[in-house]
Amino acid sequence: MEESILIKFGKRIRELRIEKKLTQQQLADISGLHKNYIGMIERGERNPSLINIEILAKSFQINISELMKMS
């Protein structure tokens, strides 16, 4: 069974966060999103809006297309 897009996206967010050596709290502080919300995205429990996807991309200093490169 293939992973859902939410699980894939969550793994991508976690991968980028760890690559940048950020905690969930630090990413929350940079992005203005709540730490619990970031955790829920990483676990595939939330479906972030396009606005929040843009916020996350800017927080990682990458464009949306780079953010969406999921395995």
Side-chain angles (χ1 to χ4, degrees), residues 3-67:
E3 286 181 323
S4 76
I5 188 75
L6 295 178
I7 297 291
K8 288 180 184 179
F9 185 74
K11 286 181 176 180
R12 177 70 173 145
I13 295 298
R14 185 173 193 275
E15 170 187 283
L16 289 168
R17 179 178 60 76
I18 290 170
E19 188 178 291
K20 298 273 188 181
K21 297 179 173 49
L22 296 172
T23 65
Q24 287 182 349
Q25 184 62 59
Q26 289 168 325
L27 180 55
D29 293 341
I30 292 166
S31 67
L33 301 172
H34 196 279
K35 178 181 89 99
N36 293 346
Y37 181 69
I38 290 171
M40 292 174 82
I41 291 172
E42 288 186 2
R43 292 187 301 274
E45 297 171 357
R46 292 298 300 258
N47 185 2
S49 69
L50 188 55
I51 291 169
N52 288 339
I53 290 170
E54 180 182 41
I55 288 169
L56 288 166
K58 286 180 179 179
S59 298
F60 290 124
Q61 298 178 330
I62 59 176
N63 59 38
I64 292 174
S65 64
E66 184 66 27
L67 180 68

